[in-house]
Amino acid sequence: MAGGPGQNMQVLSALDGAKTQWYHFTAIVVAGMGFFNDAYDLFCISLVTKLIGRVYYTVDGSPRPGSLPPHVSSAVNGVAFVGMLSGQLFFGWLGDRVGRKSVYGMTLLTMIVCSVASGLSFGHSPTCVMATLCFFRFWLGFGIGGDYPLSATIVSEYANKRTRGAFVAAVFAMQGFGILAAGAVAIGVTALFRSRFPAPAYNIYPAASTPAEADLVWRIILMFGAVPAALTFYSRMKMPKTAQYTALVARNAERAAADMSRVLQVDIDSKEGAEEEATTTGPLPFGLFSREFFRRHGKHLLGTTSTWLCYYDLHQLAQRLIGLFVLIGAIKGRWEQGHKIRGSL
């Protein structure tokens, strides 16, 4: 039975004033694992591109091991971000149409399947392997693009008014742990294979420096991204639809009250409530690309997008600075070594 505007607003007011409970932290973990998984899938690829280049682009007789051509490297590293843009637009729209819960499961399944498929990239030539890898990485980014806004939206709609900002920040913080996990898994898998399949340096014995088992290393690292996603799938499917969607979009205050009472200890009476403005539950009187939308939300949109832009630009800048410092350290070490040799002579 659908509720009126007053009933709908009463449900939301009760949730805004509810005390912080254990389920709030459960929602943070479930939504946060989405950001954890997103970060792992996005950043693990940069850790294996050097190995991929060595496996597929080493030329016999070359004095140096192979590396990915610049255009292939750009495609492998950037195609997931193109998929993210498409996924955000599609799944964001779909989440408002059919509900967060249904779309939340779809994005997770997309990420699981495409993580595994990325590791199983097939082909008889380097071009075919890179083409299939880019194909699956695009659809992986498509799922990640849907998971980003949905994870943040779901945890913000579960949280009360007092702790909403902190909860959303906690979910976003999981992205850093995902990046750390990508590095840890890459180091662990590489060390394991190196101890199990030792090989000489390239300048000593080029033909044996890259064993056939090296082709499994980058595949395992990519496929590991499906593990945290699979572990949280059941928990996501058990989460009820958020009250904001059920009350404001589906206009069913009684269902919203029942769903929230099942997971939160909050007293919600959807039968009574003072009448509010009908426009609070009706569709917006202006479109997404209208002048009114930008007048009301343009500053928020600009602030959010510029923050993300700065984040990714600063991340790339930090990587380049770290690489520069490593290069300077290597040059300094070589110079000191040569100076000692000359001194001994």
Side-chain angles (χ1 to χ4, degrees), residues 199-214:
Y202 186 84
N203 57 358
I204 297 176
Y205 191 179
S209 64
T210 308
E213 291 79 9

Side-chain angles (χ1 to χ4, degrees), residues 172-233:
F172 271 82
M174 292 299 292
Q175 188 176 50
F177 291 102
I179 297 174
L180 290 174
V185 171
I187 292 173
V189 174
T190 303
L192 180 63
F193 270 76
R194 185 174 182 180
S195 63
R196 182 67 179 83
F197 307 102
Y202 186 84
N203 57 358
I204 297 176
Y205 191 179
S209 64
T210 308
E213 291 79 9
D215 191 43
L216 298 175
V217 175
W218 68 271
R219 297 177 184 272
I220 292 174
I221 294 172
L222 295 185
M223 288 192 288
F224 190 84
V227 174
L231 292 177
T232 56
F233 181 77

